[in-house]
Amino acid sequence: MLGSRPLFVLFGSSIVQYSFSNGGWGAALADIYARKADILLRGYIGWNTRRALQVMDKVFPKDSSVQPSLVIVYFGGNDSIAAHSSGLGPHVPIDEYKENMRKIAEHLKSLSENTRVIFLSCPPLNEEMLRNSTSTILSEIVRTNETCRLYSDACVDLCKEMNLKVIDLWHAMQKREDWMTACFTDGLHLSEEGSNIVVEEILKVLKEAEWDPCLHWKAMPTEFGEDSPYDLVSSSGDATVNPSEWTIHRKTPWH
């Protein structure tokens, strides 16, 4: 029974790992898809695409009896960090980054004919806020918004080549005038406002995608959603009210 719902996997670095914290986008998706799909978190802070490739067969084994219906992937922010003089660190040259993302996509597409993939491109960052929040235990981390743009563009270009769904977070977030202060907790990781943009963009892709079956939450069945005499009794006192589709608890009315 635990495997009966569609499985959505969130795979990526810290923006994925933290997506269940502070009103994060992963938590929002888990709420939106309650009783419709299981949201599985596979986020790894600090990881680049090289490390992701090392574990693809373990995180997404091709011989698994249950394969995900949807995988949402984010890598790029750590790859884009400037190279350290020691040769250590997460930097990955942009051409290699693009090829690594291609290999990740190819692996995911090979899992099953019904596994859908969405890539998230590198979001922007607030350089000053990030400098002020970086831990003193770390050497200087050189990250710029312009470099984020380059890696975002590389991801978007790859997805166009491979006919993959992609969300251009670098541009999507900057549509908001106060994005530099509203969208981040530390200049890099997403606040609830920043996460809301991610959720809106994901839902838009899922609604517009011509996938069979449709993976937008409104098109998916609700588990055990049938009427029951054990539901709450209506005000008339002669029937029950089925609450399985209620969304009145949500602060944001998702569409």
Side-chain angles (χ1 to χ4, degrees), residues 114-127:
N114 293 319
T115 296
R116 312 303 185 183
V117 180
I118 299 174
F119 276 9
L120 307 179
S121 81
C122 196
L125 56 81
N126 182 325
E127 295 177 25

PDB file of all heavy atoms in Angstrom, residues 114-127:
ATOM      1  N   ASN A 114       7.370   6.371 -18.011  1.00  0.00           N
ATOM      2  CA  ASN A 114       6.445   7.281 -17.338  1.00  0.00           C
ATOM      3  C   ASN A 114       7.122   8.198 -16.330  1.00  0.00           C
ATOM      4  O   ASN A 114       6.431   8.916 -15.608  1.00  0.00           O
ATOM      5  CB  ASN A 114       5.339   6.477 -16.637  1.00  0.00           C
ATOM      6  CG  ASN A 114       4.427   5.773 -17.614  1.00  0.00           C
ATOM      7  OD1 ASN A 114       4.061   6.335 -18.642  1.00  0.00           O
ATOM      8  ND2 ASN A 114       4.069   4.536 -17.311  1.00  0.00           N
ATOM      9  N   THR A 115       8.447   8.168 -16.266  1.00  0.00           N
ATOM     10  CA  THR A 115       9.164   9.072 -15.361  1.00  0.00           C
ATOM     11  C   THR A 115       9.359  10.415 -16.045  1.00  0.00           C
ATOM     12  O   THR A 115       9.997  10.503 -17.091  1.00  0.00           O
ATOM     13  CB  THR A 115      10.533   8.487 -14.958  1.00  0.00           C
ATOM     14  OG1 THR A 115      10.326   7.274 -14.211  1.00  0.00           O
ATOM     15  CG2 THR A 115      11.302   9.472 -14.087  1.00  0.00           C
ATOM     16  N   ARG A 116       8.796  11.455 -15.445  1.00  0.00           N
ATOM     17  CA  ARG A 116       8.906  12.819 -15.979  1.00  0.00           C
ATOM     18  C   ARG A 116       9.979  13.573 -15.210  1.00  0.00           C
ATOM     19  O   ARG A 116      10.205  13.307 -14.017  1.00  0.00           O
ATOM     20  CB  ARG A 116       7.565  13.546 -15.873  1.00  0.00           C
ATOM     21  CG  ARG A 116       6.367  12.763 -16.378  1.00  0.00           C
ATOM     22  CD  ARG A 116       6.516  12.335 -17.835  1.00  0.00           C
ATOM     23  NE  ARG A 116       5.303  11.687 -18.320  1.00  0.00           N
ATOM     24  CZ  ARG A 116       5.173  11.168 -19.519  1.00  0.00           C
ATOM     25  NH1 ARG A 116       6.187  11.204 -20.375  1.00  0.00           N
ATOM     26  NH2 ARG A 116       4.040  10.590 -19.894  1.00  0.00           N
ATOM     27  N   VAL A 117      10.598  14.543 -15.877  1.00  0.00           N
ATOM     28  CA  VAL A 117      11.728  15.270 -15.285  1.00  0.00           C
ATOM     29  C   VAL A 117      11.533  16.768 -15.468  1.00  0.00           C
ATOM     30  O   VAL A 117      11.159  17.230 -16.548  1.00  0.00           O
ATOM     31  CB  VAL A 117      13.065  14.836 -15.931  1.00  0.00           C
ATOM     32  CG1 VAL A 117      14.237  15.599 -15.298  1.00  0.00           C
ATOM     33  CG2 VAL A 117      13.271  13.330 -15.792  1.00  0.00           C
ATOM     34  N   ILE A 118      11.788  17.508 -14.397  1.00  0.00           N
ATOM     35  CA  ILE A 118      11.835  18.966 -14.459  1.00  0.00           C
ATOM     36  C   ILE A 118      13.164  19.410 -13.870  1.00  0.00           C
ATOM     37  O   ILE A 118      13.526  19.010 -12.753  1.00  0.00           O
ATOM     38  CB  ILE A 118      10.689  19.622 -13.662  1.00  0.00           C
ATOM     39  CG1 ILE A 118       9.323  19.213 -14.195  1.00  0.00           C
ATOM     40  CG2 ILE A 118      10.825  21.146 -13.687  1.00  0.00           C
ATOM     41  CD1 ILE A 118       8.156  19.714 -13.344  1.00  0.00           C
ATOM     42  N   PHE A 119      13.904  20.229 -14.599  1.00  0.00           N
ATOM     43  CA  PHE A 119      15.124  20.826 -14.075  1.00  0.00           C
ATOM     44  C   PHE A 119      14.830  22.246 -13.580  1.00  0.00           C
ATOM     45  O   PHE A 119      14.067  22.989 -14.206  1.00  0.00           O
ATOM     46  CB  PHE A 119      16.206  20.894 -15.157  1.00  0.00           C
ATOM     47  CG  PHE A 119      17.012  19.623 -15.315  1.00  0.00           C
ATOM     48  CD1 PHE A 119      16.659  18.450 -14.678  1.00  0.00           C
ATOM     49  CD2 PHE A 119      18.149  19.617 -16.123  1.00  0.00           C
ATOM     50  CE1 PHE A 119      17.406  17.295 -14.827  1.00  0.00           C
ATOM     51  CE2 PHE A 119      18.909  18.461 -16.276  1.00  0.00           C
ATOM     52  CZ  PHE A 119      18.535  17.305 -15.626  1.00  0.00           C
ATOM     53  N   LEU A 120      15.439  22.598 -12.460  1.00  0.00           N
ATOM     54  CA  LEU A 120      15.425  23.968 -11.961  1.00  0.00           C
ATOM     55  C   LEU A 120      16.784  24.577 -12.256  1.00  0.00           C
ATOM     56  O   LEU A 120      17.818  23.992 -11.915  1.00  0.00           O
ATOM     57  CB  LEU A 120      15.175  24.004 -10.451  1.00  0.00           C
ATOM     58  CG  LEU A 120      13.953  23.257  -9.917  1.00  0.00           C
ATOM     59  CD1 LEU A 120      13.889  23.385  -8.396  1.00  0.00           C
ATOM     60  CD2 LEU A 120      12.679  23.770 -10.560  1.00  0.00           C
ATOM     61  N   SER A 121      16.799  25.743 -12.889  1.00  0.00           N
ATOM     62  CA  SER A 121      18.086  26.380 -13.178  1.00  0.00           C
ATOM     63  C   SER A 121      18.557  27.175 -11.964  1.00  0.00           C
ATOM     64  O   SER A 121      17.816  27.389 -11.004  1.00  0.00           O
ATOM     65  CB  SER A 121      17.969  27.297 -14.406  1.00  0.00           C
ATOM     66  OG  SER A 121      17.399  28.546 -14.055  1.00  0.00           O
ATOM     67  N   CYS A 122      19.788  27.613 -12.024  1.00  0.00           N
ATOM     68  CA  CYS A 122      20.423  28.325 -10.918  1.00  0.00           C
ATOM     69  C   CYS A 122      19.685  29.638 -10.636  1.00  0.00           C
ATOM     70  O   CYS A 122      19.538  30.464 -11.533  1.00  0.00           O
ATOM     71  CB  CYS A 122      21.873  28.606 -11.298  1.00  0.00           C
ATOM     72  SG  CYS A 122      22.916  29.053  -9.919  1.00  0.00           S
ATOM     73  N   PRO A 123      19.217  29.853  -9.414  1.00  0.00           N
ATOM     74  CA  PRO A 123      18.552  31.123  -9.107  1.00  0.00           C
ATOM     75  C   PRO A 123      19.567  32.253  -8.932  1.00  0.00           C
ATOM     76  O   PRO A 123      20.776  31.998  -8.838  1.00  0.00           O
ATOM     77  CB  PRO A 123      17.835  30.828  -7.789  1.00  0.00           C
ATOM     78  CG  PRO A 123      18.653  29.754  -7.149  1.00  0.00           C
ATOM     79  CD  PRO A 123      19.205  28.929  -8.285  1.00  0.00           C
ATOM     80  N   PRO A 124      19.097  33.488  -8.858  1.00  0.00           N
ATOM     81  CA  PRO A 124      20.009  34.600  -8.596  1.00  0.00           C
ATOM     82  C   PRO A 124      20.441  34.588  -7.132  1.00  0.00           C
ATOM     83  O   PRO A 124      19.987  33.744  -6.345  1.00  0.00           O
ATOM     84  CB  PRO A 124      19.153  35.834  -8.900  1.00  0.00           C
ATOM     85  CG  PRO A 124      17.762  35.392  -8.562  1.00  0.00           C
ATOM     86  CD  PRO A 124      17.701  33.938  -8.960  1.00  0.00           C
ATOM     87  N   LEU A 125      21.303  35.502  -6.775  1.00  0.00           N
ATOM     88  CA  LEU A 125      21.686  35.635  -5.373  1.00  0.00           C
ATOM     89  C   LEU A 125      21.949  37.097  -5.034  1.00  0.00           C
ATOM     90  O   LEU A 125      22.181  37.926  -5.907  1.00  0.00           O
ATOM     91  CB  LEU A 125      22.901  34.768  -5.037  1.00  0.00           C
ATOM     92  CG  LEU A 125      24.204  34.911  -5.821  1.00  0.00           C
ATOM     93  CD1 LEU A 125      25.040  36.090  -5.320  1.00  0.00           C
ATOM     94  CD2 LEU A 125      25.022  33.637  -5.699  1.00  0.00           C
ATOM     95  N   ASN A 126      21.896  37.377  -3.746  1.00  0.00           N
ATOM     96  CA  ASN A 126      22.211  38.697  -3.220  1.00  0.00           C
ATOM     97  C   ASN A 126      23.642  38.636  -2.703  1.00  0.00           C
ATOM     98  O   ASN A 126      23.898  38.085  -1.626  1.00  0.00           O
ATOM     99  CB  ASN A 126      21.237  39.068  -2.103  1.00  0.00           C
ATOM    100  CG  ASN A 126      21.476  40.458  -1.538  1.00  0.00           C
ATOM    101  OD1 ASN A 126      22.612  40.920  -1.439  1.00  0.00           O
ATOM    102  ND2 ASN A 126      20.404  41.131  -1.143  1.00  0.00           N
ATOM    103  N   GLU A 127      24.581  39.170  -3.473  1.00  0.00           N
ATOM    104  CA  GLU A 127      26.005  39.001  -3.162  1.00  0.00           C
ATOM    105  C   GLU A 127      26.378  39.615  -1.818  1.00  0.00           C
ATOM    106  O   GLU A 127      27.132  39.016  -1.041  1.00  0.00           O
ATOM    107  CB  GLU A 127      26.849  39.614  -4.282  1.00  0.00           C
ATOM    108  CG  GLU A 127      26.681  38.903  -5.623  1.00  0.00           C
ATOM    109  CD  GLU A 127      27.462  39.569  -6.737  1.00  0.00           C
ATOM    110  OE1 GLU A 127      28.472  40.242  -6.435  1.00  0.00           O
ATOM    111  OE2 GLU A 127      27.062  39.434  -7.911  1.00  0.00           O
TER     112      GLU A 127
END
